[in-house]
Amino acid sequence: MGAATAKAEEAAGADGSLPGAPPPDWPRLPNEVLALVLSWLPPETLATRCRLVCRRWRDLLDGPAVWKLQWRREPGMRAALEAAARCPRLRWSRLGVLRPLGRNLVRNPCGREEFRHWALHCEGWKDGWKVEENRSPVEGAEAQTCFAASYEWCQKEQVIDLLKEGLWPDLLDAYQPDIVVSDWWGGRQDCGCKYELFVALLAANKKTKIDVFEAKPDPIPQWNDASYQKVTHTFRRYGPGVRYVLFRQRGKDTQFWAGHYGARVTNSSVVIQFSSESAESLEPGLPSS
């Protein structure tokens, strides 16, 4: 692809025209045609280079036309299109470049990077967590690996900065998109285990809890089928002020065996999206679509 692009650039003139063809008359192009042309460029190029060309291009890229054309060609951008249908005020280039909607904001959810991005804590002993291959497949996971706990409570957590990921205060406070959290857990066939999940929506000070979800399912008994179970929850209409998501897991075995016979956790996710049940605008005087 790189070689083909280089050859095309060599063949084209400085103004983007092909040899023997008249140069494009950019100022005379209708906005609809210009938007279609621009929509084929990478989002970073649109936001950092094309937007600086002239006032007309800036106004076009600050609006929805180019971005909607681009997103309609990408299945992964359906969440952004849903937001566009609901919210009259969006930061189009921010959504297009950082893509905070519809993607998993948990980093290293399956242990493919060992313990990178996770803060670990174990109760006064040395074994802790271990990354292992899955004993049962998890469909849709980015890797078939998991975090395996040991014989005392093992804990790990991430704090997700929603503004850093690409969201902004007005969107979070006025529209309160759904925050969907999920996790997969299971045990070894020959050993029982316990598992807990704690998720908190935090304010800007990272201390105030605006909403909380806790799961403490029944322990998995010894001699099980080693399959995974899914835990999921949707935060909805949680109120203004949410800026961080604390995602915390705990696991242990029930036999107190040395090694890593405890709960297996994998494919953790936090996804921001709009749905038919999402709140309409909660900001007084702001029209909803």
Side-chain angles (χ1 to χ4, degrees):
M1 183 175 179
T5 302
K7 290 181 180 179
E9 291 176 350
E10 290 176 5
D15 55 9
S17 62
L18 294 175
D25 191 354
W26 295 104
R28 294 174 65 88
L29 283 180
N31 276 354
E32 295 80 3
V33 176
L34 180 59
L36 179 60
V37 172
L38 292 175
S39 73
W40 289 98
L41 294 174
E44 293 81 3
T45 300
L46 293 174
T48 61
R49 300 179 65 180
C50 295
R51 191 177 175 276
L52 305 179
V53 169
C54 63
R55 181 178 298 177
R56 181 191 178 199
W57 285 33
R58 181 199 65 192
D59 293 344
L60 196 60
L61 290 168
D62 284 348
V66 174
W67 301 104
K68 283 184 177 181
L69 285 168
Q70 190 172 83
W71 297 345
R72 288 183 184 124
R73 295 193 291 265
E74 300 183 40
M77 295 304 289
R78 289 175 184 168
L81 287 171
E82 180 64 31
R86 285 177 162 268
C87 311
R89 297 195 311 233
L90 286 179
R91 299 184 183 181
W92 300 96
S93 60
R94 189 174 180 86
L95 283 183
V97 174
L98 297 179
R99 306 190 171 208
L101 297 176
R103 68 175 172 89
N104 187 5
L105 302 182
V106 174
R107 298 179 184 271
N108 188 26
C110 303
R112 186 162 59 180
E113 302 176 81
E114 289 291 323
F115 301 108
R116 188 181 180 195
H117 305 297
W118 292 98
L120 309 180
H121 174 73
C122 298
E123 295 183 350
W125 55 288
K126 62 181 181 180
D127 278 358
W129 294 94
K130 181 182 178 183
V131 176
E132 295 186 351
E133 296 291 325
N134 282 345
R135 292 173 176 264
S136 297
V138 177
E139 186 177 355
E142 70 171 36
Q144 294 301 322
T145 51
C146 65
F147 299 93
S150 191
Y151 54 87
E152 289 282 10
W153 280 113
C154 302
Q155 177 177 298
K156 65 186 184 72
E157 66 182 48
Q158 280 190 39
V159 177
I160 299 168
D161 185 335
L162 297 177
L163 302 188
K164 186 176 179 180
E165 292 293 340
L167 299 163
W168 57 95
D170 180 62
L171 183 71
L172 290 167
D173 295 344
Y175 293 97
Q176 296 174 25
D178 292 353
I179 301 177
V180 184
V181 301
S182 63
D183 204 19
W184 292 81
W185 77 287
R188 286 175 56 112
Q189 184 180 18
D190 56 355
C191 188
C193 64
K194 294 181 178 181
Y195 160 88
E196 296 178 0
L197 176 65
F198 176 85
V199 184
L201 307 186
L202 305 179
N205 61 10
K206 294 188 180 182
K207 296 180 180 179
T208 303
K209 299 178 180 67
I210 294 174
D211 204 350
V212 167
F213 168 71
E214 292 185 83
K216 296 181 179 181
D218 293 337
I220 292 177
Q222 188 180 23
W223 308 118
N224 59 85
D225 62 3
S227 63
Y228 281 100
Q229 305 176 23
K230 185 178 183 180
V231 176
T232 187
H233 175 74
T234 299
F235 291 98
R236 187 173 286 143
R237 301 176 188 272
Y238 37 79
V242 174
R243 298 295 180 265
Y244 297 90
V245 178
L246 168 63
F247 191 96
R248 176 185 294 155
Q249 307 155 310
R250 302 179 77 208
K252 62 178 293 188
D253 75 31
T254 57
Q255 311 302 123
F256 207 72
W257 288 352
H260 296 84
Y261 291 84
R264 271 81 178 129
V265 294
T266 190
N267 204 30
S268 311
S269 70
V270 172
V271 177
I272 314 297
Q273 62 187 33
F274 285 89
S275 70
S276 60
E277 299 180 48
S278 300
E280 298 293 337
S281 170
L282 301 178
E283 181 178 316
L286 185 62
S288 59
S289 54

